[in-house]
Tab-separated table of all heavy atoms in Angstrom:
chain	number	residue	atom	x	y	z
A	1205	GLY	N	29.502	-14.255	-8.323
A	1205	GLY	CA	28.672	-15.260	-7.525
A	1205	GLY	C	28.434	-14.670	-6.042
A	1205	GLY	O	27.308	-14.851	-5.627
A	1206	VAL	N	29.451	-14.277	-5.430
A	1206	VAL	CA	29.235	-13.631	-4.059
A	1206	VAL	C	28.375	-12.447	-4.031
A	1206	VAL	O	27.471	-12.305	-3.142
A	1206	VAL	CB	30.614	-13.377	-3.415
A	1206	VAL	CG1	30.533	-12.519	-2.035
A	1206	VAL	CG2	31.464	-14.593	-3.095
A	1207	ALA	N	28.502	-11.485	-5.073
A	1207	ALA	CA	27.674	-10.275	-5.238
A	1207	ALA	C	26.285	-10.808	-5.375
A	1207	ALA	O	25.291	-10.135	-4.839
A	1207	ALA	CB	28.258	-9.449	-6.232
A	1208	LEU	N	26.091	-11.817	-6.362
A	1208	LEU	CA	24.613	-12.209	-6.633
A	1208	LEU	C	23.996	-12.906	-5.273
A	1208	LEU	O	22.794	-12.757	-5.003
A	1208	LEU	CB	24.576	-13.334	-7.779
A	1208	LEU	CG	24.693	-12.620	-9.093
A	1208	LEU	CD1	24.795	-13.689	-10.150
A	1208	LEU	CD2	23.472	-11.739	-9.395
A	1209	ALA	N	24.780	-13.548	-4.622
A	1209	ALA	CA	24.429	-14.158	-3.268
A	1209	ALA	C	23.884	-13.111	-2.336
A	1209	ALA	O	22.856	-13.115	-1.600
A	1209	ALA	CB	25.373	-15.139	-2.653
A	1210	GLY	N	24.692	-11.995	-2.289
A	1210	GLY	CA	24.412	-10.898	-1.487
A	1210	GLY	C	23.099	-10.177	-1.856
A	1210	GLY	O	22.147	-9.863	-1.046
A	1211	VAL	N	22.913	-9.984	-3.226
A	1211	VAL	CA	21.636	-9.398	-3.643
A	1211	VAL	C	20.544	-10.284	-3.312
A	1211	VAL	O	19.353	-9.840	-2.981
A	1211	VAL	CB	21.828	-9.095	-5.192
A	1211	VAL	CG1	20.435	-8.634	-5.856
A	1211	VAL	CG2	22.823	-7.905	-5.403
A	1212	GLY	N	20.718	-11.719	-3.571
A	1212	GLY	CA	19.716	-12.487	-3.204
A	1212	GLY	C	19.206	-12.570	-1.738
A	1212	GLY	O	18.135	-12.681	-1.485
A	1213	ALA	N	20.329	-12.383	-0.915
A	1213	ALA	CA	19.826	-12.273	0.473
A	1213	ALA	C	19.098	-11.003	0.793
A	1213	ALA	O	18.184	-11.061	1.661
A	1213	ALA	CB	21.293	-12.201	1.413
A	1214	LEU	N	19.396	-9.973	0.160
A	1214	LEU	CA	18.791	-8.659	0.507
A	1214	LEU	C	17.403	-8.728	-0.162
A	1214	LEU	O	16.279	-8.278	0.616
A	1214	LEU	CB	19.425	-7.527	-0.256
A	1214	LEU	CG	20.668	-7.107	0.405
A	1214	LEU	CD1	21.519	-6.054	-0.327
A	1214	LEU	CD2	20.573	-6.596	1.891
A	1215	LEU	N	17.313	-9.428	-1.258
A	1215	LEU	CA	15.792	-9.681	-1.830
A	1215	LEU	C	15.005	-10.727	-0.926
A	1215	LEU	O	13.737	-10.487	-0.735
A	1215	LEU	CB	15.931	-10.232	-3.210
A	1215	LEU	CG	16.383	-9.222	-4.393
A	1215	LEU	CD1	16.581	-9.941	-5.671
A	1215	LEU	CD2	15.448	-8.000	-4.429
A	1216	GLY	N	15.714	-11.630	-0.368
A	1216	GLY	CA	15.031	-12.502	0.561
A	1216	GLY	C	14.527	-11.757	1.782
A	1216	GLY	O	13.500	-11.997	2.329
A	1217	LEU	N	15.366	-10.835	2.165
A	1217	LEU	CA	15.005	-9.986	3.397
A	1217	LEU	C	13.779	-9.226	3.043
A	1217	LEU	O	12.787	-9.199	4.039
A	1217	LEU	CB	16.197	-9.073	3.767
A	1217	LEU	CG	15.918	-8.039	4.853
A	1217	LEU	CD1	15.685	-8.671	6.148
A	1217	LEU	CD2	17.111	-7.089	5.025
A	1218	VAL	N	13.678	-8.645	1.993
A	1218	VAL	CA	12.588	-7.772	1.525
A	1218	VAL	C	11.297	-8.808	1.494
A	1218	VAL	O	10.335	-8.356	2.049
A	1218	VAL	CB	12.812	-7.101	0.155
A	1218	VAL	CG1	11.434	-6.538	-0.336
A	1218	VAL	CG2	13.727	-6.025	0.382
A	1219	GLY	N	11.519	-9.974	0.852
A	1219	GLY	CA	10.294	-10.779	0.865
A	1219	GLY	C	9.893	-11.304	2.153
A	1219	GLY	O	8.683	-11.480	2.427
A	1220	LEU	N	10.828	-11.567	3.074
A	1220	LEU	CA	10.472	-11.954	4.422
A	1220	LEU	C	9.753	-10.936	5.220
A	1220	LEU	O	8.736	-11.102	5.889
A	1220	LEU	CB	11.752	-12.459	5.217
A	1220	LEU	CG	11.609	-12.824	6.666
A	1220	LEU	CD1	10.642	-13.971	6.735
A	1220	LEU	CD2	12.972	-13.060	7.303
A	1221	LEU	N	10.169	-9.569	5.054
A	1221	LEU	CA	9.537	-8.521	5.774
A	1221	LEU	C	8.136	-8.232	5.172
A	1221	LEU	O	7.219	-7.774	5.844
A	1221	LEU	CB	10.417	-7.276	5.652
A	1221	LEU	CG	11.736	-7.200	6.328
A	1221	LEU	CD1	12.499	-6.094	5.971
A	1221	LEU	CD2	11.439	-7.428	7.953
A	1222	ALA	N	7.922	-8.577	3.779
A	1222	ALA	CA	6.632	-8.377	3.272
A	1222	ALA	C	5.704	-9.464	3.689
A	1222	ALA	O	4.493	-9.253	3.831
A	1222	ALA	CB	6.742	-8.395	1.734
A	1223	LEU	N	6.180	-10.631	3.939
A	1223	LEU	CA	5.320	-11.836	4.342
A	1223	LEU	C	4.897	-11.931	5.661
A	1223	LEU	O	3.887	-12.348	6.061
A	1223	LEU	CB	5.881	-13.100	3.771
A	1223	LEU	CG	6.006	-13.343	2.314
A	1223	LEU	CD1	6.715	-14.563	1.821
A	1223	LEU	CD2	4.620	-13.259	1.621
A	1224	ARG	N	5.771	-11.488	6.610
A	1224	ARG	CA	5.706	-11.759	7.917
A	1224	ARG	C	6.002	-10.459	8.813
A	1224	ARG	O	7.003	-9.693	8.423
A	1224	ARG	CB	6.605	-12.780	8.575
A	1224	ARG	CG	6.370	-14.217	8.112
A	1224	ARG	CD	6.917	-15.176	8.884
A	1224	ARG	NE	6.485	-16.463	8.572
A	1224	ARG	CZ	5.482	-17.072	9.258
A	1224	ARG	NH1	4.869	-16.568	10.162
A	1224	ARG	NH2	5.095	-18.297	8.807
A	1225	PRO	N	5.155	-9.948	9.665
A	1225	PRO	CA	5.417	-8.830	10.592
A	1225	PRO	C	6.521	-8.949	11.555
A	1225	PRO	O	6.205	-9.064	12.837
A	1225	PRO	CB	4.156	-8.593	11.057
A	1225	PRO	CG	3.434	-9.857	11.350
A	1225	PRO	CD	3.846	-10.649	10.069
A	1226	VAL	N	7.705	-9.288	11.181
A	1226	VAL	CA	8.762	-9.717	12.014
A	1226	VAL	C	9.037	-8.551	13.109
A	1226	VAL	O	9.395	-8.813	14.186
A	1226	VAL	CB	10.051	-9.908	11.153
A	1226	VAL	CG1	11.260	-10.360	12.113
A	1226	VAL	CG2	9.710	-11.063	10.131
A	1227	GLU	N	8.916	-7.253	12.688
A	1227	GLU	CA	9.160	-6.150	13.570
A	1227	GLU	C	8.311	-6.148	14.843
A	1227	GLU	O	8.685	-5.575	15.824
A	1227	GLU	CB	9.163	-4.856	12.880
A	1227	GLU	CG	7.756	-4.426	12.329
A	1227	GLU	CD	7.342	-5.162	11.059
A	1227	GLU	OE1	8.084	-5.892	10.507
A	1227	GLU	OE2	6.167	-4.826	10.625
A	1228	THR	N	7.129	-6.856	14.687
A	1228	THR	CA	6.216	-6.843	15.888
A	1228	THR	C	6.534	-8.035	16.882
A	1228	THR	O	5.877	-8.063	17.964
A	1228	THR	CB	4.731	-7.038	15.396
A	1228	THR	OG1	4.570	-8.324	14.643
A	1228	THR	CG2	4.439	-5.803	14.496
A	1229	LEU	N	7.485	-8.864	16.524
A	1229	LEU	CA	7.643	-10.026	17.330
A	1229	LEU	C	8.430	-9.524	18.707
A	1229	LEU	O	9.542	-8.874	18.459
A	1229	LEU	CB	8.567	-11.120	16.707
A	1229	LEU	CG	7.842	-11.768	15.450
A	1229	LEU	CD1	8.783	-12.641	14.766
A	1229	LEU	CD2	6.768	-12.539	15.943
A	1230	PRO	N	7.923	-9.849	19.785
A	1230	PRO	CA	8.543	-9.277	21.103
A	1230	PRO	C	9.854	-10.001	21.465
A	1230	PRO	O	10.741	-9.403	22.073
A	1230	PRO	CB	7.534	-9.408	22.210
A	1230	PRO	CG	6.634	-10.548	21.602
A	1230	PRO	CD	6.684	-10.558	20.148
A	1231	ASP	N	9.975	-11.368	21.016
A	1231	ASP	CA	11.210	-12.104	21.440
A	1231	ASP	C	12.275	-11.724	20.541
A	1231	ASP	O	12.276	-12.108	19.315
A	1231	ASP	CB	10.871	-13.472	21.481
A	1231	ASP	CG	12.080	-14.322	21.909
A	1231	ASP	OD1	13.023	-13.849	22.417
A	1231	ASP	OD2	11.937	-15.613	21.706
A	1232	PRO	N	13.484	-11.033	21.033
A	1232	PRO	CA	14.584	-10.768	20.064
A	1232	PRO	C	15.270	-12.096	19.601
A	1232	PRO	O	15.918	-11.949	18.593
A	1232	PRO	CB	15.571	-9.918	21.000
A	1232	PRO	CG	15.106	-10.272	22.318
A	1232	PRO	CD	13.757	-10.632	22.349
A	1233	TRP	N	15.003	-13.187	20.212
A	1233	TRP	CA	15.629	-14.547	19.705
A	1233	TRP	C	14.648	-15.372	18.948
A	1233	TRP	O	14.906	-16.596	18.771
A	1233	TRP	CB	16.165	-15.339	20.968
A	1233	TRP	CG	17.158	-14.471	21.694
A	1233	TRP	CD1	16.947	-13.954	22.935
A	1233	TRP	CD2	18.415	-14.087	21.406
A	1233	TRP	NE1	18.047	-13.184	23.431
A	1233	TRP	CE2	19.052	-13.139	22.259
A	1233	TRP	CE3	19.229	-14.302	20.098
A	1233	TRP	CZ2	20.238	-12.699	22.233
A	1233	TRP	CZ3	20.495	-13.674	20.125
A	1233	TRP	CH2	21.017	-12.935	21.135
A	1234	ASP	N	13.557	-14.778	18.512
A	1234	ASP	CA	12.567	-15.614	17.748
A	1234	ASP	C	13.306	-16.006	16.387
A	1234	ASP	O	13.953	-15.275	15.938
A	1234	ASP	CB	11.378	-14.673	17.511
A	1234	ASP	CG	10.355	-15.379	16.642
A	1234	ASP	OD1	10.536	-15.506	15.490
A	1234	ASP	OD2	9.351	-15.842	17.311
A	1235	PRO	N	13.031	-17.236	15.906
A	1235	PRO	CA	13.679	-17.669	14.650
A	1235	PRO	C	13.513	-16.760	13.467
A	1235	PRO	O	14.512	-16.556	12.681
A	1235	PRO	CB	13.136	-19.043	14.482
A	1235	PRO	CG	12.624	-19.489	15.772
A	1235	PRO	CD	12.149	-18.270	16.459
A	1236	TRP	N	12.334	-16.015	13.372
A	1236	TRP	CA	12.178	-15.171	12.290
A	1236	TRP	C	13.052	-13.932	12.381
A	1236	TRP	O	13.581	-13.495	11.436
A	1236	TRP	CB	10.667	-14.780	12.058
A	1236	TRP	CG	9.845	-16.037	11.563
A	1236	TRP	CD1	8.822	-16.656	12.274
A	1236	TRP	CD2	9.923	-16.531	10.434
A	1236	TRP	NE1	8.305	-17.620	11.548
A	1236	TRP	CE2	9.035	-17.568	10.253
A	1236	TRP	CE3	10.637	-16.401	9.238
A	1236	TRP	CZ2	8.659	-18.385	9.252
A	1236	TRP	CZ3	10.503	-17.128	8.013
A	1236	TRP	CH2	9.526	-18.205	8.042
A	1237	ARG	N	13.030	-13.567	13.676
A	1237	ARG	CA	13.994	-12.226	13.807
A	1237	ARG	C	15.525	-12.684	13.670
A	1237	ARG	O	16.213	-11.898	13.059
A	1237	ARG	CB	13.759	-11.792	15.222
A	1237	ARG	CG	12.533	-10.939	15.309
A	1237	ARG	CD	12.473	-10.349	16.753
A	1237	ARG	NE	13.375	-9.171	16.892
A	1237	ARG	CZ	13.085	-7.921	17.465
A	1237	ARG	NH1	11.794	-7.761	17.796
A	1237	ARG	NH2	14.083	-7.156	17.515
A	1238	LEU	N	15.773	-13.848	14.021
A	1238	LEU	CA	17.110	-14.286	13.808
A	1238	LEU	C	17.518	-14.383	12.319
A	1238	LEU	O	18.519	-14.053	11.835
A	1238	LEU	CB	17.507	-15.687	14.401
A	1238	LEU	CG	17.500	-15.624	16.059
A	1238	LEU	CD1	17.598	-17.026	16.531
A	1238	LEU	CD2	18.594	-14.690	16.590
A	1239	ALA	N	16.374	-14.864	11.495
A	1239	ALA	CA	16.632	-14.851	10.052
A	1239	ALA	C	16.941	-13.543	9.510
A	1239	ALA	O	17.753	-13.306	8.650
A	1239	ALA	CB	15.471	-15.638	9.451
A	1240	VAL	N	16.109	-12.538	10.004
A	1240	VAL	CA	16.420	-11.214	9.516
A	1240	VAL	C	17.732	-10.568	9.984
A	1240	VAL	O	18.347	-10.034	9.155
A	1240	VAL	CB	15.150	-10.313	10.170
A	1240	VAL	CG1	15.514	-8.716	9.823
A	1240	VAL	CG2	13.853	-10.479	9.547
A	1241	TYR	N	18.091	-11.017	11.218
A	1241	TYR	CA	19.555	-10.505	11.561
A	1241	TYR	C	20.555	-11.147	10.588
A	1241	TYR	O	21.480	-10.480	10.175
A	1241	TYR	CB	19.813	-10.998	12.902
A	1241	TYR	CG	18.878	-10.608	14.082
A	1241	TYR	CD1	18.869	-11.249	15.246
A	1241	TYR	CD2	18.177	-9.354	13.910
A	1241	TYR	CE1	17.997	-10.869	16.234
A	1241	TYR	CE2	17.416	-8.997	14.889
A	1241	TYR	CZ	17.222	-9.672	16.031
A	1241	TYR	OH	16.488	-9.341	17.158
A	1242	GLY	N	20.423	-12.374	10.275
A	1242	GLY	CA	21.392	-13.058	9.412
A	1242	GLY	C	21.384	-12.467	7.979
A	1242	GLY	O	22.553	-12.243	7.432
A	1243	LEU	N	20.192	-12.230	7.517
A	1243	LEU	CA	20.127	-11.565	6.125
A	1243	LEU	C	20.617	-10.079	6.189
A	1243	LEU	O	21.165	-9.713	5.133
A	1243	LEU	CB	18.687	-11.607	5.713
A	1243	LEU	CG	18.117	-12.964	5.294
A	1243	LEU	CD1	16.564	-13.022	5.001
A	1243	LEU	CD2	18.948	-13.709	4.123
A	1244	LEU	N	20.416	-9.410	7.272
A	1244	LEU	CA	20.863	-8.120	7.411
A	1244	LEU	C	22.452	-8.105	7.367
A	1244	LEU	O	23.042	-7.111	6.908
A	1244	LEU	CB	20.328	-7.457	8.627
A	1244	LEU	CG	19.122	-6.591	8.453
A	1244	LEU	CD1	18.686	-6.040	9.873
A	1244	LEU	CD2	19.255	-5.354	7.555
A	1245	ALA	N	23.112	-9.114	7.850
A	1245	ALA	CA	24.462	-9.047	7.972
A	1245	ALA	C	25.032	-9.653	6.591
A	1245	ALA	O	25.985	-9.147	6.016
A	1245	ALA	CB	24.904	-9.883	9.126
A	1246	LEU	N	24.385	-10.775	6.273
A	1246	LEU	CA	24.966	-11.536	4.957
A	1246	LEU	C	24.879	-10.652	3.736
A	1246	LEU	O	25.686	-10.710	2.874
A	1246	LEU	CB	24.345	-12.802	4.851
A	1246	LEU	CG	24.597	-13.802	3.650
A	1246	LEU	CD1	26.081	-14.145	3.934
A	1246	LEU	CD2	23.803	-14.897	3.568
A	1247	GLY	N	23.726	-10.128	3.506
A	1247	GLY	CA	23.510	-9.326	2.221
A	1247	GLY	C	24.526	-8.184	2.024
A	1247	GLY	O	25.366	-8.244	1.102
A	1248	PRO	N	24.545	-7.240	2.926
A	1248	PRO	CA	25.636	-6.127	2.756
A	1248	PRO	C	27.075	-6.698	2.756
A	1248	PRO	O	27.836	-6.276	1.986
A	1248	PRO	CB	25.428	-5.203	3.884
A	1248	PRO	CG	23.991	-5.504	4.329
A	1248	PRO	CD	23.725	-6.975	3.973
A	1249	ALA	N	27.278	-7.725	3.653
A	1249	ALA	CA	28.750	-8.396	3.703
A	1249	ALA	C	29.187	-8.898	2.376
A	1249	ALA	O	30.148	-8.486	1.868
A	1249	ALA	CB	28.783	-9.244	4.758
A	1250	ALA	N	28.180	-9.585	1.670
A	1250	ALA	CA	28.533	-10.190	0.533
A	1250	ALA	C	28.718	-9.128	-0.647
A	1250	ALA	O	29.800	-9.173	-1.448
A	1250	ALA	CB	27.508	-11.271	-0.025
A	1251	VAL	N	27.835	-8.270	-0.738
A	1251	VAL	CA	27.882	-7.203	-1.793
A	1251	VAL	C	29.235	-6.331	-1.565
A	1251	VAL	O	29.852	-6.136	-2.518
A	1251	VAL	CB	26.634	-6.355	-1.802
A	1251	VAL	CG1	26.858	-5.131	-2.667
A	1251	VAL	CG2	25.518	-7.123	-2.152
């Protein structure tokens, strides 16, 4: 279950990056960037 949650977080990260140009947001504390930070930590950690 934890491994599947990690894979889901990584797939969510890919989907978020495909839907929104998060890398162009200038504010490092923008909620979308924070979501990417969280998924970048949660996905690998769980797997």
Side-chain angles (χ1 to χ4, degrees):
V1206 171
L1208 280 177
V1211 171
L1214 293 174
L1215 291 175
L1217 174 64
V1218 171
L1220 177 59
L1221 293 174
L1223 293 175
R1224 292 199 171 262
V1226 181
E1227 65 279 2
T1228 61
L1229 297 172
D1231 181 12
W1233 303 109
D1234 185 280
W1236 289 111
R1237 282 186 73 135
L1238 292 177
V1240 171
Y1241 301 155
L1243 292 172
L1244 265 176
L1246 180 64
V1251 171

